[in-house]
Amino acid sequence: MEKVHVEHLGLIDYQKAWDYQEELNKDNVQIKLNNRLPETKEIRETHHHLLFCEHPITYTLGKSGSMDNLLLSEQQLDAIGGKFYKINRGGDITHHGPGQLVMYPIFDLEKFFTDIHKFLRYMEEAVIQTLAYYGIKGERYPGYTGVWLDADDDEKARKICAMGIRCSRWVTMHGIAFNINNDLDYFNHIVPCGIDDKAVTSLAKELGHEVDINEVRSHLLDKMADLFKFESA
């Protein structure tokens, strides 16, 4: 059974968290590259990391995203105290803010399975099972990543968890943004994930009250460990 080093970073600046992910990712990639050199005498092991955090008001645009989906000028962004980053994950634009649970797996998938789609589906499944604990039916929406509610009804379908990753030599980074208690009004400043005809929601909105985000994190970690069959370290 693989061991995963779990860290709870709390409320952290997006750039700082991104830099930390990059450092962990590159360390693992370099280990794998060095292990393949003919002159390498001692094989080193890569290490899995799972980071949980929240971010201040931030908008991020993935590699395949369009700037048209950011509906704020630079001055308007400053006025709401937000930051914007073009980043190296897949997907389009999304919002991060306090009360949203963000999870970043830096996994060496060669120690689990070499299947990106399976990796994405497992993360979705961890969220779906976490929602089930709160009596909410999370689902997949055909043609899109992430976790949705009422996915079988085009008019009611709404997204509760966004997802975007990057993978280099089977080492992952970035991950999911799970709306728990965050202010959904900030999504009005973007076209979330480039989808202009679907709403977003949060666990608090669906339940009608705020939720202990640490409790949600604990359930999500348990589901991730069950699905990926790892031990927390």
Side-chain angles (χ1 to χ4, degrees):
M1 183 174 282
E2 294 295 319
K3 293 189 180 298
V4 173
H5 181 58
V6 179
E7 292 186 70
H8 309 303
L9 304 179
L11 183 66
I12 182 173
D13 178 76
Y14 185 88
Q15 184 69 61
K16 186 175 181 180
W18 186 13
D19 289 344
Y20 186 39
Q21 287 188 77
E22 289 278 10
E23 177 187 334
L24 297 174
N25 178 278
K26 288 177 180 177
D27 284 351
N28 274 330
V29 168
Q30 193 59 54
I31 287 171
K32 298 180 81 168
L33 290 173
N34 290 343
N35 285 345
R36 293 171 184 172
L37 294 175
E39 62 269 27
T40 298
K41 296 180 179 180
E42 182 179 353
I43 299 298
R44 295 176 58 204
E45 290 294 324
T46 54
H47 299 94
H48 309 294
H49 301 268
L50 190 60
L51 313 179
F52 290 96
C53 65
E54 300 172 54
H55 293 304
I57 300 166
T58 307
Y59 296 97
T60 64
L61 183 70
K63 294 182 297 182
S64 58
S66 169
M67 279 296 298
D68 292 340
N69 292 326
L70 176 65
L71 308 179
L72 291 171
S73 67
E74 187 174 340
Q75 292 75 18
Q76 289 171 323
L77 189 62
D78 288 341
I80 64 170
K83 293 184 178 180
F84 171 76
Y85 299 94
K86 288 184 178 179
I87 63 174
N88 57 355
R89 61 161 170 78
D92 206 286
I93 196 166
T94 196
H95 161 68
H96 300 298
Q100 180 191 72
L101 180 61
V102 179
M103 181 181 76
Y104 296 130
I106 295 88
F107 287 179
D108 179 1
L109 287 186
E110 284 191 306
K111 291 184 173 180
F112 291 107
F113 44 75
T114 51
D115 186 331
I116 293 296
H117 292 289
K118 185 175 180 179
F119 175 63
L120 294 171
R121 302 295 83 78
Y122 270 26
M123 286 199 293
E124 289 169 346
E125 185 62 27
V127 174
I128 289 170
Q129 291 184 15
T130 299
L131 287 170
Y133 173 83
Y134 294 95
I136 293 175
K137 184 181 180 182
E139 299 174 292
R140 297 176 179 86
Y141 192 75
Y144 298 100
T145 58
V147 178
W148 299 71
L149 307 186
D150 288 324
D152 57 349
D153 187 328
D154 285 342
E155 293 186 1
K156 292 182 179 179
R158 55 207 182 278
K159 196 170 195 176
I160 197 167
C161 180
M163 181 180 300
I165 68 161
R166 177 173 179 262
C167 189
S168 176
R169 296 189 180 271
W170 295 110
V171 180
T172 65
M173 61 180 290
H174 298 296
I176 70 168
F178 188 1
N179 297 331
I180 309 300
N181 300 316
N182 46 311
D183 185 346
L184 299 177
D185 286 345
Y186 286 103
F187 283 98
N188 295 331
H189 302 307
I190 59 173
V191 180
C193 303
I195 307 168
D196 60 7
D197 62 344
K198 296 291 181 291
V200 293
T201 190
S202 68
L203 187 55
K205 182 176 180 179
E206 297 298 323
L207 293 176
H209 59 81
E210 286 203 355
V211 185
D212 183 345
I213 196 168
N214 294 322
E215 179 187 79
V216 179
R217 183 185 66 203
S218 178
H219 288 303
L220 182 59
L221 173 58
D222 287 346
K223 303 308 179 187
M224 287 286 291
D226 288 345
L227 289 161
F228 285 89
K229 299 187 181 347
F230 67 72
E231 292 181 344
S232 298

